[in-house]
Each structure stands twice: as C-alpha cells, then as structure tokens.
Amino acid sequence: MEKMRLNPYLLPHKGLRYLLAKVSLLAGNLDNTLPKEVDQLKALSNELFFLLEQHAHVEDHMILPDLEKKCPGSTEENHEEHEYLEGLVAQLQTQVNALQPGSDPNAPKVFFEALMEVIGEEMDPRPFTVLRESLEEGALVH
C-alpha cells in the first residue's frame, strides 16, 4: 500500500476553510438576542481573523519568495489577493466586534454577507493553481 504524503503547504487551507465554514454557520444562524451566541461568534471570528493573518504572513514571507525565485512573476496575484483580503478581514473584525446582544437585528446579516465574500475568495482555487502545480512538480523542494 502506497503512503500518501501530506503537503504542509496546502493543509493550512483546509483548516482555514473548516473554520470559515464554522464561523459562517454560526453567523448565518445567530440569534443576536442571546449574549452567549454573540460572544461565541466574536471569539470564533477573531480566532479566524488571527489565523488568516498569520497564514498570509507565512505565505508572503516563507512560501511565495521560493515560488517567485522558481517562477518569476507568478506570485503577484497572491500578494494582491492578500492585500485585498486584509482589508476585508479588517472590516469584518470591526463589524463582528461591534455586535451587541439585542442591538441592530440587521448587523449579523451584514456581517454574514461580508463573510461570504471572504469565503468566496478563500475557496477560489485559481490563485493557488501555480503554487499547487509547482509543489506537485517538486519545484519548491530543496
């Protein structure tokens, strides 16, 4: 039986997608009259935002420079995407941290819709095609 090797570069995306799904499920079903649910959404969202920030930092400073050396110009889209997502995440963080139990009943919906935009970006495999292909071909293996 052939052992399947885990790819340390692609595995974090799977974890981020899982957490994005958890936050979106909670945000989409939030009863904002319940303090416990609002607090849970804030905590889970802020954990997600921290992990997204750390993940982008690792990609920008550890993974993408190696890819850029092997395939010049191939990481420009990734850097642009990270800047765009950084702005979205900052907006989301402001929105979720402003939620108060029993306040504006539309606020959770606005947060949820903005979160769907981030999920759409994170789930889109196109920006990672070059990285994935390079990894599969062993281009980044030292």
Side-chain angles (χ1 to χ4, degrees):
M1 181 182 280
E2 185 178 327
K3 278 188 176 179
M4 190 165 177
R5 184 175 166 199
L6 290 177
N7 188 324
Y9 298 104
L10 299 178
L11 194 57
H13 291 112
K14 193 173 191 176
L16 286 172
R17 286 191 299 270
Y18 172 76
L19 194 51
L20 278 165
K22 256 181 110 166
V23 170
S24 68
L25 181 65
L26 184 58
N29 294 299
L30 183 73
D31 180 347
N32 80 325
T33 64
L34 300 175
K36 184 177 180 178
E37 285 192 23
V38 173
D39 290 344
Q40 184 181 13
L41 178 62
K42 287 181 180 184
L44 198 57
S45 296
N46 282 300
E47 179 181 346
L48 170 65
F49 302 148
F50 174 77
L51 291 174
L52 283 169
E53 179 185 314
Q54 294 304 305
H55 176 67
H57 179 80
V58 167
E59 278 190 354
D60 287 343
H61 294 91
M62 297 177 73
I63 297 171
L64 297 179
D66 284 342
L67 179 59
E68 187 64 27
K69 287 178 191 171
K70 300 286 183 179
C71 306
S74 64
T75 63
E76 185 177 330
E77 188 175 341
N78 295 90
H79 289 293
E80 290 171 2
E81 180 186 77
H82 285 171
E83 286 180 25
Y84 172 71
L85 285 174
E86 187 178 299
L88 283 177
V89 167
Q91 290 173 0
L92 284 172
Q93 194 163 28
T94 298
Q95 287 177 342
V96 78
N97 288 331
L99 289 176
Q100 295 300 319
S103 63
D104 181 3
N106 289 320
K109 181 181 181 225
V110 171
F111 172 73
F112 177 75
E113 289 170 352
L115 181 64
M116 291 299 100
E117 188 172 346
V118 171
I119 288 173
E121 292 294 327
E122 184 61 29
M123 299 294 229
D124 184 356
R126 288 175 293 164
F128 301 101
T129 301
V130 173
L131 177 59
R132 181 173 33 256
E133 289 171 357
S134 295
L135 292 169
E136 288 170 357
E137 293 169 7
L140 298 181
V141 177
H142 298 331

